[in-house]
């Protein structure tokens, strides 16, 4: 039994425990509790029904499901909240102790953790750092918002294991412990339907560094500079040369007067925004691996699905899936990164973000624009109502993705590219951005079969 297993046993011993949310993380929590712990009782609370038999749950485990499932929380000593659950009451209104897998895992292993957050790019940077360390022979694990609950890797942890952990705003929201090595990539309008304001959203994100010790390290986007950012933070930028780490034209410069040349022609990561991601990965890894090992791993790294992913060439058009895009900045980056882009598909769930920066960019960028769904309709109406948008005839509206792909096949010039970079969430239309991306790929494949 490693130190985590001993810690979680003492943490829950003799306590009444509730697992709030029984998805991937909730099931991971139950597995650890059942295997290593001796709580007084265990309950599972979820809005959706929980199949006792299918999940191997004994009668001793209480199930609280359906409307009002959170009304029971104060009956318990400890509540393990899953990231996807929004508390109906504030922490100050609850008598129970609300915690989560990430909090407990970090309490044990914070000094071995590289934590990554940001509105965009965190999955790419997390995966890239993990790939570099693993390919260089470092004992490491990957976990967190990338799709692997931290409790799933806890049993195999050693004293020298490095954990590369992607952290969402929902995982960080109630955290009181920060990783020794923290990376804050960027901050854009996102999740305002939940947080209500950028200030509240940022307050959740800042827990990645807010509880660091004096000897800890924070890599932070140069544009995220506020009074509570530690003065020892390493700032990173691809636009401002005053940053401690600056990348331009494929060269990474740092405050130690070191340079790293990105092998641009040999890597699969498209765009200058990915040069920024590589710059951070380089600065984080350079004291852990040799430069030649970093380069070799970088060249063998495959971009994650739905992130400027090349799909196929159909009807003479190169199709790119950037379904991960839920913000104006990512759609703009897609247009700047995809080679010879002729058409962009934008739109999805309307969460009230400000689309004026994207409209302004599209106004001067020579690309055909297909707007779709609720947010796309808003963008379309903004363009039609605006007076400075150049050549409004290149802007179209298609109600749904299927119609948008068909239209793109008709209007995109042969030899050019079409990218779906929605700048919007997929919820209410698709289950998640992965399902949206898969639907896009299937529609492109159907074009090929109908050619």
């Amino acid at each position: 039994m490693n130190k985590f297993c001993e810690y979680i046993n003492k943490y829950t011993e003799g306590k009444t425990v509730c697992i709030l949310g029984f998805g991937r993380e909730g099931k991971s929590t139950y597995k650890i509790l059942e295997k290593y712990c001796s709580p007084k009782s265990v309950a599972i609370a979820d809005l959706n029904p929980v199949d006792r038999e299918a999940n191997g749950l004994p009668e001793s485990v209480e199930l609280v499901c359906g409307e009002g499932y959170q009304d029971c929380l104060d009956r318990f000593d400890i509540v393990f909240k899953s990231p996807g659950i929004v508390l109906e009451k504030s922490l100050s209104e609850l008598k129970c102790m609300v915690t989560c897998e990430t909090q407990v895992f970090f309490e044990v292993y914070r000094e071995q953790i590289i934590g990554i957050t940001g509105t965009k790019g965190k999955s790419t940077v997390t995966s890239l750092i993990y790939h570099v360390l693993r390919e260089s022979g470092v004992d490491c694990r990957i976990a967190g918002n990338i799709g692997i609950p931290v409790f799933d890797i806890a049993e195999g942890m050693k004293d020298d294991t490095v954990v590369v952990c992607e952290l969402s705003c929902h995982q960080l929201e109630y955290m009181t412990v920060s990783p020794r090595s923290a990376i804050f990539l960027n901050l854009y309008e996102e999740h305002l339907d939940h947080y209500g304001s950028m200030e509240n959203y940022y307050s959740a994100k800042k827990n990645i560094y807010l509880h660091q010790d004096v000897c800890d390290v924070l890599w932070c986007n140069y544009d995220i500079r506020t009074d509570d950012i530690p003065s020892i933070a390493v700032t990173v930028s691809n636009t401002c040369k005053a940053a401690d780490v600056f990348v331009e034209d494929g060269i990474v410069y740092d405050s130690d007067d070191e340079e790293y040349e990105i092998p641009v022609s040999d890597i699969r990561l498209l765009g200058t925004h990915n040069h920024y991601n590589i710059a951070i990965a380089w600065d984080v890894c350079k004291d852990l691996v040799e430069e030649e090992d970093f380069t070799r791993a970088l060249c063998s790294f495959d971009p994650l699905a739905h992130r400027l992913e090349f799909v196929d060439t159909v009807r003479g058009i190169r199709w790119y899936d950037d379904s991960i895009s839920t913000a104006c900045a990512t759609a703009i980056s897609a247009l700047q990164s995809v080679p010879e882009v002729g058409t962009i598909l934008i739109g999805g769930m309307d969460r009230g973000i400000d689309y004026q920066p994207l409209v302004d960019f599209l106004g001067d960028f020579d690309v055909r624009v297909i707007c779709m769904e609720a947010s796309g309709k808003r963008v379309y109406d903004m363009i039609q109502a605006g007076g400075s948008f150049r050549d409004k005839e290149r802007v179209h509206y298609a109600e749904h993705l299927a119609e948008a792909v068909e239209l793109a096949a008709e209007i995109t010039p042969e030899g050019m590219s079409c990218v779906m970079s929605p700048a919007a969430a997929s919820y209410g239309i698709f289950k998640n951005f992965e399902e949206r991306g898969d639907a896009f790929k299937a529609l492109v494949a159907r074009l090929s079969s109908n050619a």
Side-chain angles (χ1 to χ4, degrees), residues 311-349:
V311 176
D312 198 358
T313 299
V314 177
R315 298 190 185 179
I317 303 165
R318 295 183 300 276
W319 300 83
Y320 288 85
D321 169 15
D322 194 36
S323 184
I324 187 69
S325 165
T326 58
C328 294
T330 50
I332 291 171
S333 290
L335 289 170
Q336 295 170 328
S337 303
V338 171
E340 298 180 296
V341 61
T343 306
I344 183 170
L345 278 57
I346 60 173
M349 175 187 178

Side-chain angles (χ1 to χ4, degrees), residues 367-381:
V367 66
R368 294 151 191 82
V369 182
I370 300 177
C371 303
M372 55 189 178
E373 304 294 349
S375 67
K377 185 62 167 63
R378 181 154 67 91
V379 170
Y380 180 83
D381 290 342

Side-chain angles (χ1 to χ4, degrees), residues 166-226:
E166 179 183 337
L167 297 164
S168 70
C169 54
H170 301 305
Q171 288 169 310
L172 289 166
E173 188 169 7
Y174 302 114
M175 290 284 286
T176 61
V177 58
S178 300
R180 186 183 188 283
S181 301
I183 300 169
F184 199 156
L185 292 170
N186 45 51
L187 190 68
Y188 302 118
E189 277 193 346
E190 184 74 291
H191 300 295
L192 298 189
D193 53 328
H194 172 59
Y195 290 102
S197 69
M198 279 294 290
E199 181 181 4
N200 292 337
Y201 175 50
Y202 175 46
S203 292
K205 286 284 193 185
K206 69 171 62 174
N207 281 322
I208 196 167
Y209 66 79
L210 204 58
H211 312 286
Q212 284 191 307
D213 295 335
V214 67
C215 294
D216 296 343
V217 185
L218 168 67
W219 285 268
C220 181
N221 188 297
Y222 184 83
D223 294 332
I224 308 173
R225 287 169 295 147
T226 61

Side-chain angles (χ1 to χ4, degrees), residues 121-151:
K122 53 186 178 291
S123 293
T124 294
V125 173
T126 300
S127 300
L128 177 57
I129 291 175
Y130 171 69
H131 179 76
V132 167
L133 295 179
R134 184 190 63 190
E135 293 298 301
S136 302
V138 177
D139 178 21
C140 57
R141 305 286 186 276
I142 187 171
N145 194 59
I146 199 78
I148 304 171
V150 290
F151 277 17

Side-chain angles (χ1 to χ4, degrees), residues 36-338:
Y36 293 106
C37 303
S38 52
K40 183 177 180 180
S41 65
V42 175
I44 295 168
D46 199 303
L47 177 63
N48 301 309
V50 175
D51 190 319
R52 184 183 299 276
E53 184 176 354
N55 288 286
L57 302 173
E59 291 296 329
S60 59
V61 174
E62 179 186 1
L63 299 182
V64 182
C65 302
E67 297 291 337
Y69 72 108
Q70 293 192 30
D71 294 345
C72 67
L73 299 187
D74 279 338
R75 291 200 282 112
F76 302 95
D77 298 318
I78 301 173
V79 173
F80 280 90
K81 187 186 84 69
S82 296
I85 301 294
V86 177
L87 290 176
E88 296 172 356
K89 295 182 179 179
S90 66
L91 291 185
S92 61
E93 295 177 280
L94 293 169
K95 299 176 183 177
C96 57
M97 182 180 75
V98 177
T99 188
C100 62
E101 282 199 7
T102 309
Q103 172 76 26
V104 176
F105 185 84
F106 276 41
E107 287 173 4
V108 181
Y109 292 117
R110 65 166 298 278
E111 294 193 358
Q112 298 171 231
I113 295 170
I114 302 170
I116 300 98
T117 198
T119 307
K120 295 300 167 190
K122 53 186 178 291
S123 293
T124 294
V125 173
T126 300
S127 300
L128 177 57
I129 291 175
Y130 171 69
H131 179 76
V132 167
L133 295 179
R134 184 190 63 190
E135 293 298 301
S136 302
V138 177
D139 178 21
C140 57
R141 305 286 186 276
I142 187 171
N145 194 59
I146 199 78
I148 304 171
V150 290
F151 277 17
D152 280 6
I153 67 167
E155 294 173 275
M157 288 288 294
K158 301 175 183 176
D159 290 342
D160 61 348
T161 303
V162 177
V163 178
V164 189
C165 190
E166 179 183 337
L167 297 164
S168 70
C169 54
H170 301 305
Q171 288 169 310
L172 289 166
E173 188 169 7
Y174 302 114
M175 290 284 286
T176 61
V177 58
S178 300
R180 186 183 188 283
S181 301
I183 300 169
F184 199 156
L185 292 170
N186 45 51
L187 190 68
Y188 302 118
E189 277 193 346
E190 184 74 291
H191 300 295
L192 298 189
D193 53 328
H194 172 59
Y195 290 102
S197 69
M198 279 294 290
E199 181 181 4
N200 292 337
Y201 175 50
Y202 175 46
S203 292
K205 286 284 193 185
K206 69 171 62 174
N207 281 322
I208 196 167
Y209 66 79
L210 204 58
H211 312 286
Q212 284 191 307
D213 295 335
V214 67
C215 294
D216 296 343
V217 185
L218 168 67
W219 285 268
C220 181
N221 188 297
Y222 184 83
D223 294 332
I224 308 173
R225 287 169 295 147
T226 61
D227 291 340
D228 58 14
I229 293 282
S231 59
I232 58 170
V234 178
T235 57
V236 188
S237 180
N238 60 351
T239 58
C240 183
K241 292 184 178 181
D244 299 313
V245 178
F246 174 64
V247 58
E248 182 180 49
D249 297 330
I251 306 294
V252 181
Y253 307 90
D254 68 23
S255 55
D256 297 326
D257 294 325
E258 294 185 56
E259 295 182 9
Y260 175 72
E261 183 174 356
I262 299 172
V264 176
S265 61
D266 297 324
I267 62 175
R268 303 180 184 94
L269 289 169
L270 292 176
T272 56
H273 66 290
N274 272 320
H275 293 178
Y276 169 83
N277 294 336
I278 293 167
I280 288 184
W282 161 247
D283 208 65
V284 171
C285 294
K286 67 181 184 182
D287 292 332
L288 300 173
V289 306
E290 298 295 329
E291 180 176 329
E292 61 183 24
D293 291 331
F294 181 90
T295 299
R296 183 171 58 251
L298 176 60
C299 291
S300 66
F301 179 73
D302 286 320
L304 302 179
H306 314 301
R307 295 157 175 87
L308 286 181
E309 178 189 6
F310 174 68
V311 176
D312 198 358
T313 299
V314 177
R315 298 190 185 179
I317 303 165
R318 295 183 300 276
W319 300 83
Y320 288 85
D321 169 15
D322 194 36
S323 184
I324 187 69
S325 165
T326 58
C328 294
T330 50
I332 291 171
S333 290
L335 289 170
Q336 295 170 328
S337 303
V338 171

